[in-house]
């Protein structure tokens, strides 16, 4: 009887071990995590502002249009935070720059705002 119980136990354990399967599906292609890189003034915004806004006869340091110079981080951040910069680049009736809106510039400025107006 003892042998029968041992045999039954061994058979039962074997069946359990071999009948187990993993329902986990492994993906052979790893997914890259989302980029953690933030948009900053020095890296992303400064060149856009210098090329589109802080030019001669616009928002340069010598004679800034509307008394709004956009030649350094503090000036640009202040203009963005008060709404002057963001409202004007998003304006359909009176856009900045006057040559027309640029969706790339708008998205970069919007992301800079979302990231907290980082300098560098």
């Amino acid at each position: 009887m003892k042998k029968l119980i041992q045999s039954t136990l061994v058979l039962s354990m074997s069946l359990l071990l071999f009948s187990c399967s993993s329902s986990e599906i492994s993906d052979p292609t790893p997914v890259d995590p989302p980029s953690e890189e933030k948009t900053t003034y020095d890296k992303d915004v400064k060149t856009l502002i210098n090329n589109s806004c802080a030019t001669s006869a616009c928002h340069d340091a010598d004679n800034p249009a509307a008394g709004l110079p956009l030649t350094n981080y503090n000036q640009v951040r202040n203009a963005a935070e008060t709404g002057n910069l963001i409202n004007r680049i998003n304006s359909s009736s009176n856009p900045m720059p006057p040559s027309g809106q640029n969706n790339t510039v708008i998205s970069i400025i919007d992301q800079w705002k979302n990231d907290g107006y980082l300098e560098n």
Side-chain angles (χ1 to χ4, degrees):
M1 179 78 160
K2 188 174 179 183
K3 197 148 185 109
L4 180 63
I5 293 174
Q6 285 178 341
S7 296
T8 304
L9 185 60
V10 169
L11 181 60
S12 297
M13 293 299 286
S14 297
L15 287 174
L16 281 174
L17 286 175
F18 289 112
S19 67
C20 292
S21 65
S22 174
S23 61
E24 184 178 314
I25 300 172
S26 63
D27 185 1
T29 309
V31 177
D32 292 333
S35 175
E36 296 292 327
E37 191 169 330
K38 302 284 186 180
T39 300
T40 69
Y41 175 79
D42 288 339
K43 180 175 60 71
D44 305 294
V45 176
K46 182 178 181 177
T47 301
L48 297 176
I49 296 295
N50 287 344
N51 292 337
S52 300
C53 308
T55 59
S56 176
C58 282
H59 298 283
D60 64 356
D62 296 330
N63 190 19
L68 181 63
L70 297 173
T71 60
N72 63 48
Y73 167 76
N74 288 327
Q75 294 167 344
V76 175
R77 179 178 178 158
N78 184 52
E81 287 182 324
T82 61
N84 292 336
L85 176 67
I86 293 174
N87 290 340
R88 290 300 297 275
I89 66 171
N90 287 305
S91 173
S92 58
S93 62
N94 192 12
M96 284 291 153
S99 59
Q101 293 171 313
N102 180 316
N103 289 334
T104 302
V105 171
I106 292 170
S107 67
I108 289 171
I109 298 294
D110 285 343
Q111 188 59 50
W112 183 50
K113 175 184 175 184
N114 293 338
D115 288 342
Y117 300 111
L118 301 172
E119 184 172 7
N120 48 35

